[in-house]
């Protein structure tokens, strides 16, 4: 099957009738997720290619309401790297994150438990529900507010967090096993390959706000891009899942 045909079947290609400004409301209400949590990690890095493992040094997450396009809550911490505790000059220049900020940060294990508590708070206070893989394709009940994660590329959740948790034998919340890759969604929807997150925004006439490679600013700008794509008629769907299908319950509990 051609990529275009597959994209059409997945509802990823822009429908001509939905692209005009006047269709804003109806396009947005098609979404299966009432909220998306946008994540963009920053990690240790070096100018020269090394075989050092990368560790998360900034862990931001922003909660995007898909109907209003507003960010309703944010989680943010700096994280202490432990395998290579001293940041390279290159890393500080790229990300703007200083040695002082990571030393004042917390280990990843504590960050993950604080993040889980933030998610539990969102579940309790806002009624958000995180669907598990086997029930993902079924229609949510009207009272449920379905929520999933969204990142720019598969690197954040499929590589960076996944391998760091494996190496350090940390428990990763199950909900982080599936997500929407906005980069591949963008490629299919607009049928073009963007030059990075900033290039993707620029192609749509949107200016990047804040500092590129700051995790929090990258997350907010990714949310802005996702919001614009939904206004253009893109229906956000999970693109990647690390889970094996099991006989477990319909929604994830956070632990
Ligand atoms: P980003 O979300 O694009 O800011 O990138 C996430 C992480 O990827 C950064 O914190 C760096 O560890 C790494 N990274 C991004 N761009 C580069 C680059 N040009 N050279 C080396 N590492 C990079
Ligand atoms: Mg990124
Ligand atoms: Mg970033």
């Amino acid at each position: 099957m051609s990529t275009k045909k597959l994209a059409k079947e997945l509802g990823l290609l822009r429908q001509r009738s939905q692209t005009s400004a006047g269709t804003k409301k109806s396009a947005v209400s098609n979404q299966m997720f009432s909220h998306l949590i946008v994540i963009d990690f920053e990690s240790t890095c070096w100018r020269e290619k090394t075989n050092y493992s990368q560790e998360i040094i900034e862990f931001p997450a922003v909660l995007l309401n898909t109907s209003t396009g507003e960010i309703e809550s944010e989680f943010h911490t700096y994280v202490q790297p432990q395998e290579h505790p001293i940041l390279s000059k290159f890393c500080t220049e790229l990300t703007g994150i200083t040695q002082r900020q990571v030393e004042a940060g917390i280990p990843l294990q504590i960050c993950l438990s604080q993040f889980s508590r933030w998610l539990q708070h969102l579940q309790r206070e806002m009624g958000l529900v995180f669907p598990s893989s086997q029930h993902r394709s079924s229609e949510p009940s009207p009272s449920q507010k379905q929520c999933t994660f969204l990142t720019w590329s598969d690197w954040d959740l499929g590589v960076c967090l996944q391998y760091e948790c494996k190496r350090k034998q940390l428990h990763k919340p199950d909900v982080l096993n599936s997500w929407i890759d906005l980069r591949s969604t963008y490629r299919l929807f607009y049928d073009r390959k963007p030059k990075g997150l900033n290039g993707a925004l620029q192609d749509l006439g949107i200016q990047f706000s804040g500092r590129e490679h700051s995790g929090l600013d990258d997350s907010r700008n990714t949310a802005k891009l996702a919001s614009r794509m939904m206004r253009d008629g893109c229906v956000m769907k999970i693109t990647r899942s690390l889970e094996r299908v099991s006989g477990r319950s319909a929604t994830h509990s956070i632990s």
Side-chain angles (χ1 to χ4, degrees):
M1 192 185 291
S2 74
T3 312
K4 260 194 183 162
K5 193 158 176 235
L6 179 66
K8 240 178 219 149
E9 290 208 349
L10 291 170
L12 285 172
L13 272 189
R14 175 163 48 171
Q15 301 296 307
R16 271 204 182 93
S17 60
Q18 291 180 330
T19 55
S20 68
T23 57
K24 184 173 166 176
K25 279 216 169 77
S26 61
V28 170
S29 62
N30 282 341
Q31 300 298 323
M32 56 219 300
F33 296 104
S34 77
H35 291 78
L36 297 167
I37 294 178
V38 182
I39 288 178
D40 183 272
F41 299 136
E42 299 306 322
S43 73
T44 50
C45 56
W46 297 269
R47 186 183 303 278
E48 266 82 50
K49 213 172 156 46
T50 67
N51 51 9
Y52 292 166
S53 306
Q54 290 179 286
E55 292 171 281
I56 293 172
I57 54 174
E58 185 182 1
F59 194 126
V62 304
L63 177 73
L64 174 69
N65 181 320
T66 62
S67 306
T68 63
E70 298 293 325
I71 289 175
E72 295 184 340
S73 182
E74 291 187 339
F75 174 88
H76 184 255
T77 61
Y78 288 107
V79 183
Q80 290 166 354
Q82 284 162 343
E83 295 162 329
H84 296 96
I86 308 296
L87 297 186
S88 69
K89 189 163 171 273
F90 173 79
C91 185
T92 293
E93 281 167 6
L94 181 79
T95 63
I97 300 169
T98 62
Q99 187 63 32
R100 207 184 257 248
Q101 281 173 313
V102 290
E103 280 174 14
I106 51 177
L108 183 60
Q109 185 169 20
I110 298 178
C111 170
L112 285 171
S113 74
Q114 289 186 0
F115 179 66
S116 292
R117 259 186 283 154
W118 180 67
L119 295 180
Q120 283 164 353
H121 169 82
L122 298 178
Q123 282 187 311
R124 223 180 22 249
E125 300 301 319
M126 300 180 61
L128 296 188
V129 169
F130 296 89
S132 73
S133 55
Q134 81 229 78
H135 291 264
R136 177 163 303 138
S137 52
S138 59
E139 285 296 310
S141 83
S143 62
Q144 281 186 339
K145 291 182 178 172
Q146 303 277 323
C147 181
T148 193
F149 297 89
L150 182 147
T151 55
W152 179 257
S153 88
D154 286 328
W155 177 81
D156 300 79
L157 296 174
V159 176
C160 188
L161 181 66
Q162 175 73 359
Y163 292 127
E164 187 171 349
C165 286
K166 276 215 169 120
R167 285 198 313 276
K168 298 183 176 177
Q169 300 194 322
L170 303 180
H171 172 72
K172 191 183 72 167
D174 286 348
V175 286
L176 293 175
N177 276 330
S178 50
W179 62 90
I180 296 164
D181 168 15
L182 194 67
R183 190 174 66 179
S184 64
T185 304
Y186 183 102
R187 282 183 190 168
L188 283 171
F189 183 67
Y190 294 113
D191 200 14
R192 64 172 179 258
K193 200 172 165 180
K195 220 172 159 227
L197 173 61
N198 197 344
L201 286 159
Q202 275 179 21
D203 284 351
L204 296 171
I206 306 170
Q207 235 199 324
F208 190 98
S209 331
R211 189 193 195 288
E212 257 187 278
H213 304 298
S214 143
L216 188 56
D217 287 344
D218 282 352
S219 303
R220 289 172 177 161
N221 281 279
T222 304
K224 195 154 58 158
L225 176 61
S227 178
R228 163 63 186 268
M229 288 172 65
M230 290 186 281
R231 279 209 311 277
D232 281 352
C234 180
V235 177
M236 293 296 164
K237 291 182 181 168
I238 287 170
T239 56
R240 184 76 190 272
S241 181
L242 302 174
E243 285 172 311
R244 275 167 290 155
V245 176
S246 72
R248 291 194 319 174
S249 60
T251 54
H252 273 304
S253 57
I254 317 280
S255 60

